[in-house]
Every structure is written in C-alpha cells, then in structure tokens.
Amino acid sequence: MNGLVLLIISVAVLVVGYIFYGRWLCKQWGVGELDKPTPAHALEDGIDYVPAKAPILMGHHFSSIAGAGPITGPINAAGFGWLACTLWILIGGIFFGGVHDFGALFASVRHDGKSIGEIISLNMSKRAKMLFLTFAYLTLILVVAAFASIVAGTFGATFTEAGAVDYAASEANARVAMVSLLFIAIAIVFGFLVYRRNAPMGVASVVGVIAIVVIIAIGMNFHPIYLSKDAWMWICGIYIAIASVTPVWILLQPRDYLSSFLLYAMLAVAVVGVFLARPDMSTMPAVEFAPAAGPIFPVLFTTIACGAISGFHSLVSSGTTSKQLDKETDAKPIAYGGMLLECVLAVLTLCAVAYAKVYDLKGATNIFGGGLAHMIDDTIPGTYNILFTLLVLTYSAFCLTSLDTATRLARFMFQEFWLDSSKGETPENVTGYKKVLSNMYVSTAITVVLGVLLGLNGYEKIWALFGSANQLLAALGLLAVATWLGNIGKNNKMFLIPMGFMLVVTIFSLLINTKTQIGLISAGGADWGPYVQAILGVLLVVLAVILAIEGIQTIAHPKKGQKV
C-alpha cells in the first residue's frame, strides 16, 4: 500500500464521518436548541470561565487532547500492522472517540461546565462520583509525571561520564528548550494585547505567527541553557503550578492558540512529506494478530488511544474546554472535529513509521520527527535539521500543553472531591478542612509535588497501567453521558456499543497485566512496580464492575427530571 493513497482514503472517510455522523449526533442530542448562554458567559470569572473564540479554543483543545498520544500510540502499535491500526483509528475515531469527546463537552456545558465526576453524581450517585474522581485524579497524577518527564527529556542535556555537558549531543534539546521558553513569553504578550488591549484577532495572529518564526530562528542559533533532565523536571513543576492557577486568558488560551499554528505547520510538513516520499507501507505487516507486544485483542485498543478514543479527552472536554466554549454549536467542530483531526495525525504517524524503518530509526521522537524529516530531505536535500527541530519542538509543545492542562484538570477534581454540589458547596462558602483542601493553591501544590516526585522516581514502573486506566476513563465517560441523555429523554444508543466494548477491553487488559505482574512477583526479585500494578489492577477491575452496574441500572431505569 502506498502511504499517500492510505492518507487520502483516511481523510476522505473522516470528512464523511464528520459531516454526516456529526450532524446526526447534533440532531439526536439537541445541540444548540436551547436559547441560553454557555457557562463561559453565564459564570464568567476571569480565571477558569472565560469565553474564547472558536479558533482559539480549538487550539487549546486540540493541543491538550493530543499530547504525545497520537504519535507514540501508533508507533508502539505498528507491530499489529498498518491495516489493523488504520481500521481502529478510523472506526474508533468516528464512532467511539468522536462521540466520547463531543458527548463529554456537550454534557458538561449543560451542567454549568462541571466535570464528568459531577455529571456522574447528578445522574448516577454520589458514591459513583467519589470513586470516579479518585480514579481520575490518580490517573492525572500519572499523566503529569509522564508528560513532565517527556518534556524534561526533550529539554535536558546529555552528560559525559566525567559529568561534563556533551554539547554536540545536547544541541537539539537546547534549541527546543530555548524556543519553548521564548514561546511562553510571546504567548503572554499575545494574551495581554488581545484581551486587555483589544488588538484585532487577525492582526494579532499574523504578528504571532511572525513571532514564532523569529523565536525559532533565535533558538536555532542562540541556545545557552544546558541543564539536566532533573533540573528541567522541577522547572516544569514550577511552570505548571503557576499555569494551573493563572487566568486562562493570560497563558492557557493564547499559548495554545499560538501552539495550534505549530501543530498545523507540523501537519502540513507531514502531508508534504507523505506526498513527496509516498512511503511503502509494506515495510510493516498489514495485520499481525500476535506480535511481541501481545495479542491484538485487547492490546491494540489500549495502545492506540488518543488516535481513536482516549479517556483523558473527556476530562479535557468537561474540565477546561467546557468553561471556555463561546457558543454551544462550537462543540461539534472543536470536540468531534478535534478528535478526527487527531485521527489524521495518527495515520500520518503510521506513514512516518513505515519510512523510518528504511533508516532503522529508534525511539518515538526519532521515528516521528526523523521519519517525516527524511521524507522531505530525501527530495529537498539540506532541510533535515530545521525540519527535525520543528517537529521535535511541536512534539514538545503537544506534551507541554497537555501537561499544564492535566495539572489544571487535577486541581479541579481535587477541589470537587471535597465539595457537595447538591448542597451548593463552593470553595468560597465551606469551612474547616474542606476550605483548606478545596483551595486552588493548596490543591495545585499537592498535585504538582506528587506528579514531579513520581516523575523523578520511576513512573515507568507503573506506566503499563496507563493504557488500561485511560480506556477505563473512556468507558466511564461514555457511561456518564449515556446516563444523562437517558435521564433527559434523548437518544443515547450510540454510546452503548462503544461503552460496552471499552469496558470489555479494559477488564481483559487489566486481567492480563495483573497476571503478568503476579508472575514477576512469583519469580522473585521484583521491585515495588509489579506489586503496585497488581494491586491497582485488581482495584480498577472492581471499580469498572461497580460503576458499570450502577450505570446500567440507571440507563435501564432513567432518573427523570435531570438537568437538560
């Protein structure tokens, strides 16, 4: 199979899905039928609830949900074959992930921008809410640890055995670090000009893009900062702590909007590369049912998550995006469209994998960045270094955006855990320990310290659980929206098959992983990783069963009169 043909077919399928299935979902759910302001307007507070124009919010949402997922997932799943991966990306994106992300955003908007946990509380039970928030928070801590480690890894210098900086080996990382720091600075300036000086968006966007080009040029030629990965971990911790509590218009909205231009540039580079190189997909098998990674079911469906369906997306949709949505009708292009655009990135990554095999490249960054850069450099010699730096910078920007979004989401959930919304409790009107623990600064500090410490002390030992935990989040997100739609008398049948499938995938995956960890423990000499994975694996299976039973009971016997 020619990679260009595969890309054209995939894009065509996704466009048809967006137009027709997306339109049908809007009609079934009644998107835009209520004449009322979104929470961003009704509850505007200048910090978390701030209306954003659709292009700006699209930049935030897409940057946040993508992270490293649609790149690392297809790379790790390539052993299952290009056809198997592509089919899951297309079917999963249109009928699973798109429905999941769109539904979570829409449900949150109709619930005053509250999280999936609060939607579960109102439509299922308070016990289900507490279980979900605990699980989601711990998953987000793992995300913070992983993405902080990835970002620090793309910034960190390489050292010789004598402890000196290896400048030649560290130069690419130093360039990325310098550009990233300058990027944060121009984002703050952009936000100030647009939101406080009312600069025209078109003019500000042009100036912003020019500024991005300038800082890339500066970073390529001036990059004096060579710090260790551990030092960058703590710097990332300080950054996300600040980013989590500052008003979204200062940093989150403008940085993510400007990041979107990097992302679109990356997609353009990837498309041009595939067009020029037309990679031969036969460097991979079409379908492989039992590669070294494990059996195609359930492993494929937990390995490719962000490119098909990912539970983390529901947390973004119902956490930050819903609090910034300007109009309810913007939900379809931002959530459903954003998911399908991520599917395109996942297919492009498969093409990069096919071409990277020609050069025997190793590691996600080298496979993605190197594969795409070689596609163009082989036709237009001399472009490799600048393209590789741009692609790695964009990869890092994905991770950095997801990192501070995950921190803000974890802060929201930590605060919600201590509050009873049915009694009208808020961080402002509670007292005692609830007052302390629901404070935004306290919850942020706890989240950042836990995430950075886990990142510094071997999050990889339990990372194998993330795929299953993330897809359990997806199943529960589908379940939450399905129960709400059923309670208000709307069609929720499009959620039932994806929800059931993801629950089965999760439980099978957790059981397989738990069996593996028990085997490692039995063999002797295991460190703390297998013990934690085995214990958490059993607890997550129990959690999945409890919430599934509650959800099924609610769907079978809807609680009428819920919030429309």
Side-chain angles (χ1 to χ4, degrees):
M1 168 67 78
N2 182 307
L4 179 59
V5 174
L6 178 67
L7 178 62
I8 292 172
I9 292 173
S10 298
V11 170
V13 170
L14 293 169
V15 169
V16 170
Y18 176 80
I19 293 172
F20 294 101
Y21 198 60
R23 180 189 301 162
W24 182 76
L25 292 175
C26 289
K27 183 178 179 180
Q28 295 300 306
W29 301 343
V31 176
E33 67 181 9
L34 295 184
D35 185 19
K36 57 181 290 189
T38 61
H41 291 282
L43 302 172
E44 185 171 0
D45 61 6
I47 299 176
D48 297 315
Y49 288 84
V50 178
K53 295 183 184 300
I56 293 179
L57 190 54
M58 180 64 172
H60 158 69
H61 184 79
F62 183 55
S63 300
S64 297
I65 65 171
I71 295 173
T72 57
I75 289 173
N76 293 332
F80 293 108
W82 64 266
L83 180 58
C85 291
T86 303
L87 288 175
W88 171 231
I89 289 167
L90 298 181
I91 295 171
I94 294 171
F95 298 105
F96 287 61
V99 174
H100 168 267
D101 295 13
F102 188 12
L105 176 55
F106 178 58
S108 179
V109 168
R110 290 291 180 90
H111 286 80
D112 299 327
K114 291 185 172 65
S115 74
I116 290 293
E118 288 294 342
I119 294 169
I120 287 176
S121 177
L122 293 170
N123 292 277
M124 290 171 58
S125 70
K126 291 180 183 177
R127 180 184 70 170
K129 168 198 168 180
M130 303 301 279
L131 288 172
F132 177 84
L133 287 180
T134 301
F135 162 58
Y137 181 76
L138 294 176
T139 303
L140 285 171
I141 293 297
L142 186 55
V143 170
V144 170
F147 283 4
S149 182
I150 292 171
V151 171
T154 62
F155 290 177
T158 301
F159 293 85
T160 65
E161 291 184 2
V165 175
D166 186 338
Y167 288 99
S170 305
E171 187 174 31
N173 283 15
R175 287 171 174 167
V176 173
M178 188 65 183
V179 175
S180 297
L181 292 174
L182 293 173
F183 196 92
I184 292 170
I186 67 169
I188 294 172
V189 173
F190 182 91
F192 178 77
L193 292 176
V194 171
Y195 288 98
R196 287 297 177 268
R197 288 293 179 264
N198 297 315
M201 181 59 67
V203 174
S205 298
V206 172
V207 173
V209 171
I210 294 172
I212 291 173
V213 175
V214 170
I215 65 171
I216 290 176
I218 293 173
M220 290 291 291
N221 296 283
F222 179 72
H223 36 270
I225 304 174
Y226 289 81
L227 300 175
S228 69
K229 179 180 177 180
D230 285 0
W232 278 116
M233 280 288 289
W234 286 110
I235 292 172
C236 284
I238 294 170
Y239 165 73
I240 60 178
I242 295 171
S244 176
V245 297
T246 54
V248 293
W249 65 265
I250 291 177
L251 184 58
L252 185 140
Q253 285 184 0
R255 192 218 48 231
D256 293 354
Y257 175 62
L258 292 176
S259 293
S260 69
F261 289 103
L262 276 177
L263 309 182
Y264 303 145
M266 180 192 70
L267 289 171
V269 168
V271 170
V272 169
V274 172
F275 178 81
L276 293 175
R278 293 175 172 80
D280 182 3
M281 303 305 294
S282 66
T283 57
M284 296 184 283
V287 179
E288 182 64 55
F289 290 97
I296 196 168
F297 181 90
V299 180
L300 170 63
F301 307 100
T302 58
T303 304
I304 297 183
C306 285
I309 179 173
S310 167
F312 178 66
H313 295 192
S314 67
L315 305 185
V316 176
S317 291
S318 66
T320 53
T321 305
S322 62
K323 295 176 176 63
Q324 301 172 66
L325 195 72
D326 185 38
K327 297 180 297 183
E328 193 170 275
T329 50
D330 288 343
K332 178 191 168 187
I334 289 170
Y336 196 67
M339 178 65 242
L340 299 192
L341 186 59
E342 197 174 45
C343 295
V344 175
L345 177 57
V347 173
L348 287 167
T349 300
L350 286 176
C351 294
V353 173
Y355 207 74
K357 287 184 177 295
V358 176
Y359 290 87
D360 195 30
L361 300 176
K362 307 295 183 183
T365 304
N366 288 328
I367 289 173
F368 178 73
L372 293 176
H374 275 301
M375 286 184 193
I376 297 178
D377 187 65
D378 288 349
T379 304
I380 309 174
T383 58
Y384 183 85
N385 285 338
I386 183 67
L387 290 174
F388 183 77
T389 299
L390 173 64
L391 291 164
V392 174
L393 170 64
T394 307
Y395 180 78
S396 177
F398 269 144
C399 296
L400 194 58
T401 300
S402 295
L403 174 60
D404 62 39
T405 298
T407 308
R408 190 178 285 260
L409 293 173
R411 187 254 290 178
F412 289 156
M413 292 191 174
F414 193 90
Q415 290 177 285
E416 285 182 1
F417 183 87
W418 308 103
L419 304 174
D420 188 343
S421 60
S422 66
K423 297 179 180 178
E425 291 184 351
T426 67
E428 292 73 31
N429 64 22
V430 291
T431 58
Y433 74 92
K434 287 188 175 183
K435 183 76 171 179
V436 175
L437 294 174
S438 64
N439 178 274
M440 65 189 298
Y441 300 106
V442 172
S443 56
T444 297
I446 292 172
T447 298
V448 170
V449 170
L450 290 176
V452 171
L453 288 177
L454 180 59
L456 288 170
N457 292 281
Y459 79 91
E460 300 94 341
K461 296 180 185 296
I462 58 173
W463 183 248
L465 269 179
F466 177 74
S468 302
N470 185 46
Q471 298 306 60
L472 177 54
L473 273 178
L476 298 179
L478 291 164
L479 177 62
V481 181
T483 55
W484 168 65
L485 287 172
N487 287 344
I488 64 173
K490 296 288 187 180
N491 183 4
N492 63 1
K493 292 182 175 59
M494 70 289 294
F495 286 89
L496 302 184
I497 292 177
M499 177 187 71
F501 182 79
M502 297 315 298
L503 277 172
V504 172
V505 162
T506 296
I507 292 173
F508 267 84
S509 180
L510 287 169
L511 290 175
I512 291 172
N513 185 63
T514 301
K515 180 182 177 182
T516 301
Q517 303 311 314
I518 292 174
L520 292 174
I521 294 169
S522 301
D527 59 14
W528 60 271
Y531 288 94
V532 173
Q533 285 199 55
I535 294 169
L536 290 179
V538 172
L539 292 176
L540 289 178
V541 170
V542 173
L543 170 69
V545 171
I546 291 173
L547 291 179
I549 291 173
E550 284 208 27
I552 291 169
Q553 289 175 341
T554 304
I555 291 172
H557 306 286
K559 299 178 180 180
K560 300 299 182 182
Q562 296 298 303
K563 190 179 187 69
V564 175

